[in-house]
């Protein structure tokens, strides 16, 4: 099943719901960056959250997410756009910690407090909107929920879930974001809280083969929602050799000459997708010329 994001309204438009299956996206991120399981979960949850937040954007709008913790994985960076193209990386992909007390991947320990969650939104031609909050848990869903409440004044409930298989590959990944609109009744909120308390792990439900429509039903009730849009989402990086050639030209003639005479070529690596680009001596000389 291809990855996708559904946007829906529920409870007579009092609630906005986003649900995403990002299994292939997170699987590709794991393969590209060769992350170990705890890093996979941390990066995967960040990619799922970025997809959900990008789902609130329109047109050419973009979002950048940075998680700057104090733990062994270092920083996590992800970005995405309204079309569902998402990419991201973690500073140290080789982190595999013991499971936490609940028997789950210890994302909080890998991220490490204290830390900061920074979000930038590039909307239209205006100055980017930037918000940041301290990390309060490091498990990330709570941190994004806190960000939505504090920085965007939108009460939300966010679930981010990544299931890593014993061979380090990603079994399923996905999540949801429920936003309470102004004017939502106490009754609606209480009903939702009840349903969420009984939901269980989102990745377990995906793993059981539930479709996103069925998951929407689990979240808000089978006959309570109306789907607005469906967007295909994927891991996608728009880097290219031409783009890196341009940035190589900006390092200056001396540096380029050193690459030719001392290193006999250059290799540039894209942080976001871990693609390696080779430039031979002739190509570097062409940049100088
Ligand atoms: Zn790239």
């Amino acid at each position: 099943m291809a990855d996708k994001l559904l946007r829906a309204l529920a409870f007579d438009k009092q609630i906005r719901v986003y649900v995403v299956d990002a299994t292939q996206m997170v699987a590709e991120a794991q393969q590209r960056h060769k992350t170990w399981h705890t890093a996979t979960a941390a990066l995967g949850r960040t990619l799922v959250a970025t997809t959900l937040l990008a789902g609130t954007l329109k047109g050419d709008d973009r979002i950048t997410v940075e998680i700057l913790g104090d733990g062994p994985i270092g920083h996590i960076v992800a970005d995405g756009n309204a079309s569902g193209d998402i990419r991201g990386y973690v500073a140290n992909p080789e982190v595999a910690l013991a499971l936490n007390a609940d028997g789950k991947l210890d994302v909080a320990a890998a991220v490490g407090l204290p830390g900061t969650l920074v979000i930038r939104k590039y909307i239209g031609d205006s100055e980017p909107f930037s918000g940041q909050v301290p990390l309060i848990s490091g498990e990330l869903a709570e941190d994004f929920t806190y960000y939505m409440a504090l920085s965007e004044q939108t009460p939300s409930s966010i679930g981010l879930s990544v299931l890593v298989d014993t061979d380090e590959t990603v079994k399923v990944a996905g999540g949801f974001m429920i936003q309470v609109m102004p004017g939502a009744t106490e009754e609606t909120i209480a009903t939702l809280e009840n349903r969420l308390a009984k939901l269980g792990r989102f990745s377990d439900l995906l793993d059981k083969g539930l479709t996103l429509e069925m998951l929407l039903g689990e979240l808000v009730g089978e006959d309570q929602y109306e789907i607005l849009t469906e967007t295909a989402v994927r891991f996608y990086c728009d880097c290219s050799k031409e783009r890196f050639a341009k940035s190589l030209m900006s390092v200056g003639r001396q540096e380029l000459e050193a690459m030719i005479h001392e290193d006999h070529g250059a290799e540039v690596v894209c942080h976001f997708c871990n693609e390696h680009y080779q430039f031979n001596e002739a190509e570097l000389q062409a940049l100088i010329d």
Side-chain angles (χ1 to χ4, degrees), residues 67-70 111-117 133-138 140 143 146:
I67 292 162
L68 310 168
D70 203 28
V111 170
L113 299 188
T116 313
L117 165 61
V133 293
L135 295 174
I136 54 167
S137 120
L140 301 182
D143 303 292
Y146 184 59

Side-chain angles (χ1 to χ4, degrees), residues 38 93 140 188:
T38 319
L140 301 182
T188 299

